[in-house]
Amino acid sequence: MTVKDEARLRPVTSRQNALVKDLRRAFARGEPTEAGSVAIEGIRIIEEAIRSGLRFQAVFFSESGRAHAARLLPQIASHAETLLLPDQVFASAVATETPQGVAALVKPKTFALEDVLRVPAEHLLLACLAGVQDPGNVGTIVRSAEAFGVQAVMLGEKTASHFNAKAIRASAGSVFREPLMHVRLQETIALLKQQGIRIVATSSHKGQPVDQVVLTGPLALVIGSEGAGVPPEILAQADALITIPHSGRVESLNAGIAASIVLYEAARQRRSHPVIG
């Protein structure tokens, strides 16, 4: 580490430091701080945030993770605060039991539905999450959404926050790039239908097999919760229901896997029948 980078590290020993408290609360709540920052942890995730162009409010290193500073500080703008914490203070603020020794508060990108709807309608592919409560599944879905060309992910009521530490890890950085927004799902679906966007909902026990349903054109795929599936009031808005055929020895697939299969099939069909123009 250069002398200049070393000088940027500000020693902080108190658990009551304002930034340390913000980091702790952001991890505990899985929501942005009052300043609009979210908490992230680990070398890989922080480097994904850097590559995604996020703005850093503060970066925290533990004494035992101090060596990471030489790798990360040259990549982080000088306006971000950089703090060096005793191991016990660092461990008290982060989410993992065996921390890597580096965490950060970053400003996520924000998106509005109006921005998403500017995409030419024939290319539009959306994912809507209806009560997906496991943050790991939310992160998996966001990762698959980015992989398979989804323009935005709508997070409906009772869906876990994509700012949850587990969701961020499961997304492998996709939450930093994929347009995400919390919505009132029933109202949003009604608006999408007015825009000529077809609504296709997943079901574990009824509907057409996913490979027999046309998934091209303007489309919003609705993924339900791990236990209850898509709520009845949302199913009533759907233009079609799809299911994923599987062995009867398995009751159902989890939401992350089911969504990934459906999104892959949609992407496959769109590659096979591309829209010209």
Side-chain angles (χ1 to χ4, degrees):
M1 183 163 44
T2 66
V3 173
K4 184 178 178 181
D5 287 336
E6 181 75 30
R8 288 180 62 186
L9 287 175
R10 177 162 67 91
V12 170
T13 58
S14 173
R15 299 186 185 201
Q16 301 308 310
N17 172 272
L19 285 171
V20 173
K21 289 169 69 175
D22 279 349
L23 183 70
R24 185 181 300 114
R25 279 194 294 263
F27 273 126
R29 297 174 182 174
E31 295 292 347
T33 65
E34 290 184 6
S37 295
V38 299
I40 61 175
E41 181 185 357
I43 282 284
R44 181 179 175 187
I45 291 297
I46 288 175
E47 289 189 326
E48 285 291 336
I50 293 168
R51 282 193 286 271
S52 301
L54 298 197
R55 187 163 65 88
F56 284 72
Q57 178 188 359
V59 185
F60 306 79
F61 298 94
S62 69
E63 282 285 2
S64 60
R66 185 179 189 140
H68 296 314
R71 175 172 170 179
L72 292 176
L73 287 184
Q75 305 178 66
I76 296 169
S78 58
H79 62 73
E81 293 205 52
T82 51
L83 287 68
L84 181 65
L85 310 180
D87 287 353
Q88 289 185 333
V89 174
F90 184 91
S92 75
V94 299
T96 59
E97 294 183 4
T98 55
Q100 293 182 10
V102 58
L105 289 169
V106 298
K107 300 289 183 72
K109 298 174 183 177
T110 58
F111 301 90
L113 182 59
E114 294 77 13
D115 299 328
V116 174
L117 294 180
R118 292 193 183 102
V119 174
E122 62 270 19
H123 297 287
L124 199 63
L125 176 61
L126 305 173
C128 302
L129 309 192
V132 178
Q133 297 175 330
D134 181 84
N137 279 334
V138 170
T140 296
I141 293 169
V142 173
R143 185 177 185 178
S144 294
E146 184 181 27
F148 298 128
V150 172
Q151 272 74 46
V153 179
M154 314 289 178
L155 295 94
E157 299 86 341
K158 298 182 180 179
T159 293
S161 172
H162 55 290
F163 297 132
N164 179 285
K166 185 177 179 183
I168 291 173
R169 288 196 300 272
S171 82
S174 290
V175 294
F176 304 142
R177 298 178 294 271
E178 180 71 14
L180 304 164
M181 59 203 75
H182 289 281
V183 299
R184 294 183 180 276
L185 197 52
Q186 200 169 0
E187 296 174 11
T188 300
I189 286 176
L191 175 62
L192 295 177
K193 288 172 72 76
Q194 290 174 10
Q195 301 291 320
I197 297 167
R198 196 159 57 103
I199 310 300
V200 175
T202 58
S203 172
S204 63
H205 58 283
K206 61 182 178 180
Q208 294 178 270
V210 63
D211 59 342
Q212 296 179 23
V213 177
V214 175
L215 299 177
T216 56
L219 184 69
L221 296 168
V222 184
I223 314 299
S225 71
E226 295 81 356
V230 177
E233 64 272 18
I234 304 298
L235 286 177
Q237 294 177 289
D239 299 302
L241 300 182
I242 55 175
T243 188
I244 301 171
H246 57 77
S247 166
R249 290 175 292 182
V250 176
E251 182 179 353
S252 64
L253 301 173
N254 78 31
I257 291 174
S260 299
I261 292 171
V262 173
L263 292 175
Y264 169 78
E265 175 61 19
R268 185 195 67 79
Q269 291 187 22
R270 287 159 182 264
R271 286 196 306 273
S272 300
H273 302 88
V275 174
I276 307 300

